[in-house]
């Protein structure tokens, strides 16, 4: 049997992520016995063992690891299809709503570029409605894969462009954003080593795919929180140079001499056939 039902995948994913049938059943809102039977039936249909079961708990087999990885991608694809179909609904009806594209952007980055892109595209005939969706670090990738976004501004080397089509839009350096009264704020330039080892000003930590890197700096949830903590002298952050657009009077930006260049790309799912999206990409490449 070479086909899988989305229900089966959701059941397996819950068990594979929780590694506990009881917690997985609770997460799915069902009783444990039918969940166990469903997983056993899936294993029989596929002809492989997906889970190792013993007194210590549950773990994944090699085949289970493969299905966990492939299953996530498959469920993201079905969710994306549903979301993008709903957004397109009614656009073929005379007098219906305009096509709508959701553009994911990292909060605080590429302000000027985003303004230019939106203004230039709005002037195009038959331009779609653009909904700008701010996101955290690396969230743009997941938003494109699961259909929350149709297109995204992404930043190499921080974002992975694997599996997407993309076009380069601009390249810029990076800056350290410090409290205006800190001694290092008076420097004309700094190095990554300078900002990575400030005893009284630990680097802010952003979540990457739901995981915060280790370190003494505060865990950052959004740009407003970060701006306030920098202004209060509690942290320092490293951003692309275009982040100067959102700085407060209590902040100072100092160029970093050895930070890698940041390349902003406009990226979209490789399989997209959206005419509205193609128009937005053409506009972006002409900027």
């Amino acid at each position: 049997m070479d086909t899988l039902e989305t229900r089966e995948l959701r059941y397996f994913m819950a068990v594979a992520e929780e590694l506990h049938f009881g917690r997985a059943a609770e997460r799915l809102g069902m009783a444990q016995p039918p969940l166990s039977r469903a997983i056993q039936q899936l294993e029989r249909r596929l002809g492989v063992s997906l889970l190792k079961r013993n007194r210590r708990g549950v773990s994944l087999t090699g085949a289970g690891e493969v299905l966990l990885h492939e299953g996530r991608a498959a469920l993201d694809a079905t969710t994306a299809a549903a979301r993008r179909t709903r957004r397109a609904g009614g656009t073929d009806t005379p007098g219906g709503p305009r096509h709508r594209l959701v553009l994911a952007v990292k909060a605080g980055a590429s302000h000027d570029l985003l303004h230019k892109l939106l203004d230039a595209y709005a002037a195009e005939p038959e331009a779609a409605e653009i909904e700008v969706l701010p996101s955290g670090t690396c969230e743009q990738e997941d938003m494109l894969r699961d259909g929350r976004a149709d297109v995204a501004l992404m930043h190499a080397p921080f974002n992975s462009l694997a599996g997407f089509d993309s076009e380069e839009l601009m390249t810029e350096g990076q800056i350290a954003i410090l409290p205006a009264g800190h001694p290092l704020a008076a420097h004309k330039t700094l190095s990554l080593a300078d900002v990575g080892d400030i005893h009284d000003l630990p680097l802010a930590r952003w979540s990457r795919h739901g995981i915060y890197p280790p370190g003494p700096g505060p865990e950052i949830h959004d740009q407003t929180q970060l701006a306030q903590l920098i202004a209060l002298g509690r942290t320092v952050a490293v951003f692309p140079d275009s982040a100067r657009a959102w700085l407060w009077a209590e902040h100072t930006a100092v160029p970093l001499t050895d930070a890698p260049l940041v390349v902003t790309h406009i990226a979209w799912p490789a399989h997209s056939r959206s005419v509205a999206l193609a128009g937005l990409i053409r506009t972006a490449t002409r900027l």
Side-chain angles (χ1 to χ4, degrees), residues 26-160:
E26 183 178 356
R27 169 173 153 183
L28 292 165
M30 64 187 297
Q32 183 174 333
L35 175 60
S36 298
R37 289 194 297 270
I39 299 300
Q40 290 169 356
Q41 182 180 14
L42 176 60
E43 290 177 314
R44 286 195 297 270
R45 287 180 57 225
L46 292 175
V48 297
S49 294
L50 300 170
L51 302 168
K52 298 175 184 176
R53 304 162 177 86
N54 54 47
R55 293 178 181 177
R56 291 176 295 178
V58 177
S59 60
L60 292 172
T61 65
E65 292 279 1
V66 171
L67 186 57
L68 175 62
H69 174 75
E70 297 288 345
R72 281 184 181 137
L75 289 177
D76 279 350
T78 58
T79 301
R83 285 172 169 162
R84 292 189 175 116
T85 299
R86 281 197 298 268
R87 280 201 290 276
T91 57
D92 294 328
T93 304
R98 282 195 303 164
H99 198 109
R100 180 167 62 95
L101 294 174
V102 177
L103 170 62
V105 298
K106 186 172 75 173
S110 308
H111 273 74
D112 289 343
L113 175 63
L114 181 57
H115 276 297
K116 291 176 182 176
L117 173 58
L118 294 176
D119 288 347
Y121 181 65
E124 293 290 326
E126 304 298 324
E129 176 186 348
I130 303 295
E131 177 185 342
V132 177
L133 186 62
S135 67
T137 302
C138 296
E139 284 187 332
Q140 304 101 304
E141 303 161 36
D142 292 337
M143 289 176 171
L144 283 183
R145 290 192 174 96
D146 67 17
R148 283 175 289 167
D150 302 295
V151 60
L153 293 184
M154 293 166 65
H155 310 277
F158 308 112
N159 295 124
S160 171

